[in-house]
Amino acid sequence: PLIDYVKRRFPDRLAEIEKDPIKWIMERTKEIVGYERLKLLTFLAVVSTRMERVMGMSRVHIMLVGGSGVGKSTTVKSVLKFAGDIVVASTRITKNALGYLPIDSFDGRVLFVEQIDRQGMNYIREMMTEEKICTVVTEKDTDESGKERHVSRQRCIEGQPAVITTSVVDDIDVDKEQIFNRMLKVYVKTDPSLENVVWRSIMNRSKTEVSPVDAMVFRAWLLSRPTHARIPENVIDAVINFMKKLKEYTREPLNRVVEIARNLIIVV
């Protein structure tokens, strides 16, 4: 119904985002200066939530690495503000938080975790490639006699979100390495040539409100995306040739890299 409503009431607005979605999002995030690549990747991660699930990784996951205050979270939020309630935003993911999230599925959602920590790594790693996330939570229960007791129950949430997370440090350990090979790892650094422009932008920054019409049009556009795209053979050959060259520089298996490339191509 939302798609039909927007098509009927705001056909010109919908045609605008259909014609050039990248231009549409860039024009509406001008309060952030100098991070076009990061805005684009965040946008593609959101679009990847519409992709049908296949075995393994189906979404575009990104990790942003950069010093404190360079604008990682602010830039991501400038794009995610149009996605509304499909975004599950948190500063930390714990076992209990996963057990009590008020959602039926991670499909169609973005999980944005600011500053990943060790406690959340295992859950996030599982989210990226599994069909569901399960955790055991402890709850109060009342038996037939009215006596209260604590019981443990397994709670599962189906699906796979697009995961976006940030990190200030770039150290590698076993836990993080298993997350890194599932994500596009992006290094965020301020461009010195743009510092004056960025500082002026910060000084002039005011509260930004998302237009209700823009939010509706974006959601209708997102919901109307195809869930899959056939990759032409010549593109597959180009990816395979690139992987052969890449293999000269690493002993690591490149299956995850191929998955990431496939997802990016389908989303685009």
Side-chain angles (χ1 to χ4, degrees):
L2 176 64
I3 297 172
D4 294 337
Y5 177 79
V6 170
K7 283 181 177 179
R8 187 174 68 252
R9 290 291 305 276
F10 308 106
D12 293 344
R13 300 279 194 102
L14 189 58
E16 181 188 357
I17 188 172
E18 285 277 7
K19 182 179 179 181
D20 193 337
I22 303 303
K23 180 181 177 182
W24 189 94
I25 198 68
M26 293 301 179
E27 286 184 345
R28 285 160 177 78
T29 53
K30 286 182 177 177
E31 71 274 14
I32 306 298
V33 176
Y35 291 114
E36 276 65 30
R37 184 176 69 143
L38 178 50
K39 292 177 190 176
L40 173 59
L41 281 173
T42 304
F43 183 73
L44 292 178
V46 173
V47 177
S48 77
T49 63
R50 297 297 303 158
M51 292 164 56
E52 65 184 22
R53 261 189 284 147
V54 296
M55 185 180 295
M57 249 181 353
S58 304
R59 318 293 181 213
V60 173
H61 308 296
I62 56 178
M63 172 182 277
L64 317 173
V65 180
S68 178
V70 298
K72 303 183 298 294
S73 295
T74 305
T75 305
V76 169
K77 289 175 182 176
S78 73
V79 176
L80 293 185
K81 68 187 179 186
F82 292 97
D85 59 6
I86 72 167
V87 179
V88 179
S90 177
T91 54
R92 200 177 189 208
I93 289 293
T94 64
K95 180 178 73 172
N96 282 340
L98 283 172
Y100 293 106
L101 281 173
I103 58 177
D104 298 322
S105 173
F106 278 119
D107 287 332
R109 295 183 181 274
V110 177
L111 177 68
F112 176 41
V113 183
E114 295 190 63
Q115 200 50 41
I116 189 172
D117 63 12
R118 184 177 296 276
Q119 185 170 357
M121 284 181 189
N122 289 333
Y123 300 118
I124 291 174
R125 183 177 68 237
E126 190 177 351
M127 282 179 192
M128 292 182 200
T129 52
E130 301 300 325
E131 300 294 313
K132 62 182 179 181
I133 301 298
C134 291
T135 185
V136 176
V137 296
T138 303
E139 300 176 322
K140 279 186 179 181
D141 197 14
T142 305
D143 60 23
E144 294 178 357
S145 65
K147 185 177 180 181
E148 284 191 348
R149 61 193 180 109
H150 286 87
V151 296
S152 293
R153 292 191 176 97
Q154 186 183 57
R155 289 185 176 270
C156 296
I157 302 177
E158 301 283 337
Q160 187 184 113
V163 178
I164 302 174
T165 187
T166 64
S167 180
V168 172
V169 294
D170 193 26
D171 59 329
I172 295 178
D173 54 35
V174 174
D175 291 332
K176 271 195 173 180
E177 184 60 28
Q178 292 185 57
I179 288 182
F180 288 169
N181 69 12
R182 292 164 165 83
M183 306 188 98
L184 276 166
K185 193 176 178 189
V186 184
Y187 292 91
V188 183
K189 190 169 76 170
T190 304
D191 183 350
S193 67
L194 292 175
E195 280 183 341
N196 288 354
V197 180
V198 171
W199 295 340
R200 187 173 295 278
S201 170
I202 292 172
M203 291 296 291
N204 290 320
R205 194 175 292 167
S206 60
K207 184 178 180 181
T208 56
E209 297 286 350
V210 176
S211 158
V213 174
D214 277 350
M216 272 197 300
V217 169
F218 179 81
R219 179 64 66 88
W221 175 83
L222 187 63
L223 290 173
S224 63
R225 293 309 84 207
T227 58
H228 192 70
R230 188 184 67 82
I231 302 178
E233 282 299 321
N234 64 321
V235 177
I236 293 175
D237 291 340
V239 171
I240 291 173
N241 288 334
F242 175 77
M243 294 303 156
K244 287 179 180 177
K245 293 177 183 177
L246 191 60
K247 196 161 181 63
E248 297 173 11
Y249 298 93
T250 179
R251 295 180 180 178
E252 297 295 323
L254 296 177
N255 291 359
R256 293 286 188 205
V257 184
V258 175
E259 277 190 312
I260 290 170
R262 178 202 64 202
N263 295 346
L264 277 172
I265 291 165
I266 291 174
V267 167
V268 171

